[in-house]
Amino acid sequence: MFKGITKRWMLNTLSVILAIIILIVVSLIFFVTYLFQNSVEQSLNATGSELSLVFPSYESDSSTSFTASARDYVENFDKKEQMEVMVINSAGRVVMTSTGFIPTDKTQMTDFDDAKNDENGCAFWNGKLNSGESAMSQTRVIKNTSGTVVGAVRYMVSMEPVNSRILLISAGIIAVGLVIIGLVVLSGLLFIRSIVTPIRRLSETAAQIAQGDFSASEKIEHKYDDEIGDLCDAISDMAKDLRTTEQMKNDFISRVSHELRTPLTAIKGWAETMQLSERGKLDRKTFDRGMGVIIKESSRLTSIVEELLDFSRIQSGRMVLMNEKLDILAEFDEAVYMLKERAVKEGKHLLYDEPEAVYPPVYGDRNRLKQVFINVIDNALKYTPKGGVVAAQVIYSKDDPDVIKIVITDTGCGIPAEDLPRVKEKFYKANQSVRGSGIGLAVADEIMNLHNGSLDIESGEGVGTTVTLTFPVYKEGEENSMPENIKL
């Protein structure tokens, strides 16, 4: 039962609280005891101060005169019900009491000896009598004018009623302390339970989610608008994201399987046709057509595999860049040239006029950047209908001399507003009707990030899409701060 957070709370917080409460209770008991005992001492002291009026001075050592004065004092003592008064002679023997009972010689009166040695002639005693009764006394010695002790008066009060009151109040203080400890423990356990129980349920839910049961997040109860509530929301959102990612991954696997199966089927079909046909019976036109299909589909397979490998390298942080100073215009022009013939075959217009001005170089991997160009232009052609236009331009302005921008615009179907924020996510594919694995744009975005650049997309459904590639301009000494071969 008591483990984890509860155990730590009991060992740490509760132990400190208990120690503080016990210290307060003990201190209060000592304070009450001191207060009552001091009250008795003050009462004895106030009563004993009367002796200066009763026994002002003596000119002789006459014990008879002292005894007579003491008898009158005892007989007229008005606090007999509150305390007992004793008259002690110079030898230390009790000769008279207000109760009429003379204590035995075995009764020790250390306060008489202490009073004789005290500068003020006064001493207190607190202890138990021979009968076992607790008592407190004050003894004041009487001296003559020559400083000789002629006797003493002792006042004694029973401490039993006082001790009973101290015990009663101490019991009340202890009871209050126990109630406070009980309330602290109860409230602490309830508070800990309000934390531990939801966390335990969240832990069980997280374990179910880890095993693939994403529907377990629907059972999470959100009772508190605090950190626990935030944690519930975070796990629910995480489960939704994981479910979405899992679905996207499954769709991705399905798409990739289909993308691989299509060219493999074509390659296998034409290879079997060529193999089964009699030697020399296959006409040149059919042979060339079959070889063209095989080469085309093999290139397509290679492209898919390379895309998957690049994605794997990026995910594992093993993407290798061969950086060098290069002419971004020449690389982009080559990428456009590679896809121009395809655009013509598909009945689409790929427009690009290379600027006549000389632009500053950039620092990066020419093959990876060309891969980005081809991927972006390929996407634009895929989503642009027959007769549509894909236009590209390179922008460099002296108002912003630190970057070069390449803008590629198409008149295709566009991207829905709800899909636009996610098109660069891995596995995500907004338009399922168009071929593709759905990771090409994610790979291109990562390559741009590795070059300290950016890939930004603007689109309107039914209007078209604009992709802007931004590259930082090469600065002198940049190759010294970044090695030729970078493993990321």
Side-chain angles (χ1 to χ4, degrees):
M1 177 180 177
F2 298 109
K3 60 181 181 179
I5 296 177
T6 306
K7 183 178 180 181
R8 291 205 306 272
W9 177 78
M10 294 189 68
L11 290 177
N12 299 331
T13 307
L14 184 58
S15 60
V16 173
I17 294 174
L18 286 176
I20 293 174
I21 292 176
I22 291 173
L23 180 62
I24 293 174
V25 168
V26 172
S27 299
L28 285 175
I29 291 174
F30 274 108
F31 176 73
V32 169
T33 302
Y34 167 78
L35 198 65
F36 275 91
Q37 290 183 349
N38 185 66
S39 176
V40 175
E41 288 182 7
Q42 294 295 330
S43 177
L44 290 173
N45 200 45
T47 304
S49 63
E50 299 173 356
L51 293 180
S52 61
L53 301 176
V54 179
F55 304 99
S57 62
Y58 287 90
E59 297 180 356
S60 66
D61 295 337
S62 172
S63 59
T64 302
S65 175
F66 169 73
T67 303
S69 298
R71 181 178 292 107
D72 291 338
Y73 176 71
V74 171
E75 289 177 353
N76 296 315
F77 186 65
D78 57 354
K79 297 181 181 179
K80 294 179 181 179
E81 295 182 357
Q82 301 176 17
M83 62 183 70
E84 179 183 2
V85 61
M86 302 178 185
V87 178
I88 304 173
N89 60 20
S90 58
R93 297 185 60 185
V94 178
V95 295
M96 186 182 308
T97 67
S98 59
T99 60
F101 297 98
I102 306 298
T104 63
D105 294 338
K106 295 181 179 181
T107 302
Q108 295 186 2
M109 294 182 293
T110 57
D111 48 331
F112 174 71
D113 296 327
D114 294 337
K116 288 194 298 181
N117 298 324
D118 185 71
E119 181 180 352
N120 298 319
C122 177
F124 283 93
W125 172 84
N126 188 6
K128 288 190 176 183
L129 302 176
N130 294 336
S131 61
E133 180 182 3
S134 296
M136 180 183 289
S137 66
Q138 182 193 52
T139 299
R140 288 180 176 266
V141 295
I142 309 299
K143 297 180 181 179
N144 58 17
T145 54
S146 61
T148 303
V149 176
V150 296
V153 177
R154 189 186 195 206
Y155 303 96
M156 181 176 292
V157 176
S158 174
M159 294 296 291
E160 293 297 330
V162 175
N163 289 342
S164 297
R165 293 185 65 185
I166 292 175
L167 184 62
L168 182 62
I169 294 176
S170 298
I173 293 173
I174 293 173
V176 172
L178 291 174
V179 170
I180 293 174
I181 291 174
L183 291 175
V184 169
V185 172
L186 180 61
S187 62
L189 289 177
L190 290 175
F191 176 70
I192 293 297
R193 184 180 178 184
S194 69
I195 296 176
V196 171
T197 301
I199 289 179
R200 186 177 292 120
R201 291 174 181 169
L202 289 175
S203 178
E204 294 172 354
T205 301
Q208 293 176 344
I209 293 173
Q211 294 174 358
D213 183 10
F214 302 115
S215 62
S217 62
E218 299 173 0
K219 303 175 184 177
I220 296 177
E221 298 180 6
H222 188 165
K223 294 182 178 179
Y224 309 99
D225 291 327
D226 53 12
E227 288 81 359
I228 299 295
D230 294 341
L231 182 59
C232 292
D233 292 338
I235 291 182
S236 296
D237 293 340
M238 179 194 70
K240 292 177 183 177
D241 292 341
L242 286 174
R243 179 188 296 172
T244 303
T245 303
E246 182 72 13
Q247 184 61 45
M248 289 168 59
K249 184 188 74 174
N250 293 336
D251 293 343
F252 167 76
I253 293 173
S254 176
R255 288 195 303 271
V256 169
S257 299
H258 178 74
E259 289 289 320
L260 293 173
R261 187 185 301 115
T262 301
L264 285 173
T265 302
I267 292 171
K268 182 181 178 182
W270 276 102
E272 290 177 346
T273 299
M274 293 179 180
Q275 185 183 41
L276 294 176
S277 64
E278 296 181 14
R279 185 179 300 274
K281 296 290 185 178
L282 193 65
D283 62 277
R284 185 67 187 180
K285 183 178 179 181
T286 304
F287 177 82
D288 290 341
R289 182 184 177 189
M291 289 302 297
V293 170
I294 291 175
I295 293 172
K296 178 184 175 182
E297 297 301 326
S298 296
S299 299
R300 183 177 168 189
L301 276 176
T302 302
S303 176
I304 295 172
V305 172
E306 285 296 330
E307 198 173 64
L308 292 172
L309 289 174
D310 285 339
F311 178 76
S312 175
R313 293 187 190 104
I314 290 174
Q315 290 295 101
S316 60
R318 293 183 293 107
M319 172 68 76
V320 177
L321 297 182
M322 306 295 291
N323 287 315
E324 58 182 317
K325 187 167 67 171
L326 52 87
D327 182 0
I328 197 71
L329 291 177
E331 304 304 326
F332 185 66
D333 182 69
E334 187 176 339
V336 173
Y337 180 77
M338 292 173 62
L339 293 171
K340 197 133 187 145
E341 185 178 349
R342 170 189 157 189
V344 173
K345 288 182 178 179
E346 294 178 357
K348 303 170 185 178
H349 305 284
L350 178 55
L351 307 179
Y352 170 66
D353 292 326
E354 183 176 352
E356 296 181 358
V358 178
Y359 288 172
V362 300
Y363 193 67
D365 187 323
R366 67 174 66 247
N367 292 324
R368 294 300 179 188
L369 292 181
K370 192 179 296 180
Q371 179 181 350
V372 173
F373 300 150
I374 293 173
N375 184 282
V376 174
I377 298 173
D378 176 73
N379 274 348
L381 290 172
K382 277 194 301 186
Y383 292 99
T384 299
K386 187 175 181 179
V389 177
V390 176
Q393 61 176 326
V394 181
I395 302 174
Y396 177 72
S397 172
K398 291 187 178 181
D399 294 332
D400 192 8
D402 294 329
V403 297
I404 295 176
K405 295 183 178 181
I406 295 178
V407 181
I408 301 167
T409 305
D410 65 61
T411 58
C413 59
I415 303 172
E418 62 272 15
D419 293 324
L420 188 58
R422 304 187 60 188
V423 292
K424 294 191 288 185
E425 293 181 11
K426 59 182 180 180
F427 308 136
Y428 192 81
K429 196 167 186 288
N431 193 332
Q432 303 292 334
S433 62
V434 180
R435 64 176 177 84
S437 61
I439 61 173
L441 205 55
V443 172
D445 184 57
E446 283 295 332
I447 293 174
M448 291 299 297
N449 290 334
L450 294 177
H451 284 83
N452 297 321
S454 64
L455 188 155
D456 302 302
I457 302 175
E458 297 178 3
S459 184
E461 192 171 5
V463 177
T465 302
T466 298
V467 177
T468 303
L469 304 174
T470 305
F471 302 89
V473 170
Y474 168 79
K475 296 179 180 179
E476 290 296 333
E478 189 172 354
E479 67 274 11
N480 297 327
S481 60
M482 185 179 292
E484 289 292 325
N485 298 328
I486 301 179
K487 188 174 182 180
L488 299 168

